Amino acid sequence: MGYAILSTWKMSFQGVCEASCLLKDHASAGDAAVRCIQCTEDNPAFVSVGYGGLPDENGRVFLDGGFMDGDTLKFGAVGALEGFRSPVAIARSLKDSNFNNFLVGKGAEAYAEAAGFEKRDNLTPESRARYLKDKGKTQNLFSYDGHDTICALALDENGSMCAGVSTSGLYLKKAGRLGDSPVIGSGFYADSAIGAAAATGVGEEIMKGVLSFRAVMYLRSGMTPMQAAETAVRELKEDLANRLGRTSSISLIVLGNDGTFGVGTTIEFPFAYASDTEPPTLYLANAGSDGRTVITRVEDPATVTQD
Ligand code: SD4
């Protein structure tokens, strides 16, 4: 059986390269997805995840992470976590108990400390300077204003799948706010018998559509990954337009259990993919006028300006 890794945003490209090497060397889907995400969590150049993440309204960096094992349907998640290196690794470690799989705030931090996870002050001087310039501007909060979640979906050679996510959430968010990212079904979902999905964008809107679970259920009903991703995003976009009179920035990645991928998006959205038959590749997805996604291969990554 082949392997595949699919991840959100240009910032995930290096992680996809490393994850695909691991998968080629017979690593598990879980190890590959976490490696992919940690590459971004550890890089201060990316201001939406981990070290260098942009802070909340009070200038503090709170991180969210989630992980789902598609073989067992076990999941772990952390929300509003301050002072640790890798929320996705902490989330993954929570999946094996039968209770207490989703921890937030002080409880999540006490757990991470007791479990020996690496601590780190994630506020860099650059993020603090940007905060001092922007604080008070919460009215104009846009998730895609340099602020995006890394999601990674992996399939290994044994047919096991997983989903992982990590984010610092919306820039200048209210203290205590959680978006979709750590919420199973909305931010991520994986079932090795079907496929996996994960979302990035405005969490308050993504949760209204329970977007990741919805896409996996479309796969289950026989849609291809591309049809599932396009349909889930198009329906949510139409619901938001019809009921609330607005559209939002939302992107969704879907990986079938055969390693093929699909993407749905309301905006221009870079993503990265690699498999046993394709080297790590950066793609650009755009929303077509008919609700279909237009995907182009990026030959020169320097031409893609957003992370
Ligand atoms: C959130 N979905 O906290 C995340 C943010 C994000 O692109 O993905 N931004 O709502």
Side-chain angles (χ1 to χ4, degrees), residues 164-303:
V165 301
S166 183
T167 189
S168 52
L170 295 189
Y171 180 30
L172 301 176
K173 64 190 176 185
K174 278 211 108 36
R177 177 227 182 231
L178 290 179
D180 61 303
S181 300
V183 179
I184 183 174
S186 287
F188 63 98
Y189 198 81
D191 181 339
S192 305
I194 308 169
T200 175
V202 181
E204 285 75 0
E205 310 292 49
I206 292 167
M207 287 189 278
K208 292 184 178 83
V210 197
L211 209 55
S212 296
F213 183 69
R214 184 167 176 161
V216 173
M217 288 305 104
Y218 285 147
L219 285 180
R220 183 180 204 155
S221 73
M223 288 189 192
T224 64
M226 192 58 81
Q227 289 167 338
E230 288 171 339
T231 306
V233 170
R234 189 185 62 242
E235 287 179 350
L236 178 56
K237 187 178 164 188
E238 285 170 4
D239 283 343
L240 293 174
N242 293 338
R243 296 165 197 231
L244 302 173
R246 64 182 185 228
T247 52
S248 276
S249 301
I250 293 168
S251 302
L252 179 71
I253 55 172
V254 177
L255 188 67
N257 69 352
D258 61 354
T260 57
F261 68 80
V263 171
T265 188
T266 63
I267 50 132
E268 185 171 275
F269 169 60
F271 64 96
Y273 173 79
S275 73
D276 54 305
T277 57
E278 182 172 335
T281 306
L282 186 66
Y283 287 95
L284 204 56
N286 274 285
S289 52
D290 53 359
R292 306 292 309 274
T293 306
V294 180
I295 291 183
T296 46
R297 182 188 288 262
V298 177
E299 303 300 342
D300 177 8
T303 58

Side-chain angles (χ1 to χ4, degrees), residues 131-148:
Y131 164 76
L132 291 174
K133 189 163 63 68
D134 291 343
K135 75 178 176 179
K137 290 189 196 161
T138 44
Q139 308 289 53
N140 301 320
L141 215 153
F142 288 112
S143 64
Y144 287 86
D145 188 9
H147 207 263
D148 312 300

